Amino acid sequence: MKKILGMIEAELKSAFTACGYEEKFGKAVLSNRPDLCEYQCNGAMAAAKAYKKKPIDIAGDVVAKLREGHMFSLCDAVMPGFINLKLDGGFVAEYLNQMAADQRLGLETQEKPLTIIVDYGGANVAKPLHVGHLRSAVIGESIKRMGRALGHNMIGDVHLGDWGLQMGLIIEELRDRKPELPYFDESFTGAYPKEAPFTISELEDIYPTASKKAKFKADEAREQGMSEEEIAAKEAASKAFAERAHLATRKLQEGYPPYTAIWNHIMNVSKADLKKNYGNLSVSFDLWKGESDAQKYIPDLIQNLIDQGLAYESQGALVVDIGEPADTKELPPCIVRKSDGAALYATSDLGTIIEREKDFHPDAYIYIADKRQELHFTQVFRVAKKAGFVAPDQSMSFLGFGTMNGKDGKPFKTRDGGVMRLEHLIADIDEAVYQRIMENRTVSEEEAKETAKTVGLAALKYGDLSNQAAKDYIFDIDRFISFEGNTGPYILYTIVRIKSILSKYRDQQGSTESLAILPAASEAEKDLMLEIAKYNDVLETAFAEKAPHKICQYIYDLSNDFNRFYHDTKILSEEDKKQQASWIGLITLAKDVLSACIQVLGFEAPERM
Ligand code: ARG
């Protein structure tokens, strides 16, 4: 379906042309004086300059023309030359009836759906998911779902960090813990065990222990009163361990079979756990690829960069310049190979692009990561374009997000200052919501537990998504789980409320007759109707701008409009059955639009709460 604003604009344009003015002046915007009108056109002011006339006269001409049509119940020319508009109630009702009859609620189908890779999640294998990864998963999932709802071919890839130093650290820590394993016996020639030599909880302990071992902090030890002698010994041990880890990483990257076998175990155990964790967030990926998958493309791509004369040696490393004339500050070149030949983050991303081109040749790429990675992505995109790995018209964009902070304004931590694990964070929210639900004690404990999970997820995701992605935000559990205000639970509460009215109506009526929506009978009803009608516009804009917060703002406004309307309107006791059926049709549509929006945001509503 066409967007309402577009329809208004078409009407305005033909009125301007009919009066002898250029159509470009017929622009419609939402009214900034909602007390006077719903929409307005300010084009007469601009046209006045072009035609050397008074704006009010031009507005007057156009208004006279518009009044011949049926789209507006009000169209006025007001000083100095505004055109104030209110849509005809019948027109709006007809629009909503069409939306209600459409499975896609008025979203246009794509003539040419785009294939778009969404690179998000970005978990690092064997390191527990922490809140830093939360944002990427939550925002990325929503962007992917938006595109999908609009009819594009969206491919989500988790792009695991699975090829770095953490692997060498784990291998060496495992050697220290279980030296008897065949992976560490160079004379071993048999087949390696199928069973992993660790469980997920061991693995979760192995990495942090190893990482600490490799980074002995002399200053801290000194503060704690450790003797210089002991410090020197520990420092040496730490250095030796780190060297072993580097070596093991290198050997793994060169394909040394025992380490490859360990790596496979790490991948299997860790991926299973990641899938569970992402699942709890209602986040799912089409592809479970990672940095390791990119490695086989790297030698060729580096050769290609050299052959094209793009890559050159600089201080032992191989680099590509990425500066462009329009840059306001100088950007450092992209390092594609370090002096020791080791794999690099940027090179992995370039290799991944080669693979994605081969497998999908996407129209566009969207990457979602911490905004501190902006330079990295600028470098990767520019090298990819310069080298022709992607065509000039393929869009590559980076959506960088801010930090989730605690109430103290510093990056969110556990109570004792540690890094908060995602699953603990989720458990905390669920528990808080559970307590709130149990305050009223209208449902069984079991149902309350289930509902708390659904509501908790909405609280968490809405709390994140309702902020502009690039901004930092404060994780405030009490505010996020509140049933009032701009929160996930408030939206769910509104949906649940509508569901309950609908079920009462069904009990009362016994049948579902046709529910034709009639023109609004009150101002609150008209507001609700106009808000519903914006759905296709909001979703398209939010996707084009990669701005889930615009959907949040929309459903918050829509919920407020519904609650205001419902407050004024006695739906269930209405005697005029046609009127009642119309309202039921209207709130059904409101519920469907709200539900479609939260589905896109990545959460759902419970039956009751
Ligand atoms: N694993 C990375 C991290 O934890 C994020 C990956 C982002 N995606 C990418 N293609 N580089 O920082």
Side-chain angles (χ1 to χ4, degrees), residues 119-125 127 130 132-133 136 157-162 291 345-346 348-349 352 356 367-370 373 376-377 380 398:
D119 179 314
Y120 69 109
N124 298 317
V125 167
K127 302 190 195 176
H130 60 77
H133 291 111
S136 178
D157 183 3
V158 65
H159 196 76
L160 296 173
D162 60 0
E291 293 174 358
Y345 190 38
S348 287
D349 265 321
T352 304
R356 288 172 179 167
Y367 293 79
I368 293 120
D370 191 304
Q373 296 195 20
H376 163 77
F377 284 103
V380 169
F398 170 59

Side-chain angles (χ1 to χ4, degrees), residues 65 91 112 119 131 285 304 375 382 446 493 577 588:
K65 190 75 208 163
F91 173 84
K112 268 208 213 142
D119 179 314
V131 296
F285 299 94
N304 180 323
L375 174 61
R382 288 195 180 179
E446 205 180 326
Y493 173 75
K577 289 299 154 193
T588 304

Side-chain angles (χ1 to χ4, degrees), residues 168-181 184 206 209-210 213-214 237-238 240-242 244-245 262:
L169 286 165
I170 293 168
I171 291 170
E172 289 309 315
E173 175 63 17
L174 192 64
R175 183 200 307 276
D176 286 357
R177 290 186 185 199
K178 305 182 182 180
E180 71 286 359
L181 288 173
F184 306 118
I206 290 177
T209 312
K213 247 194 203 174
S238 171
F241 183 77
R244 273 165 55 198
I262 299 179

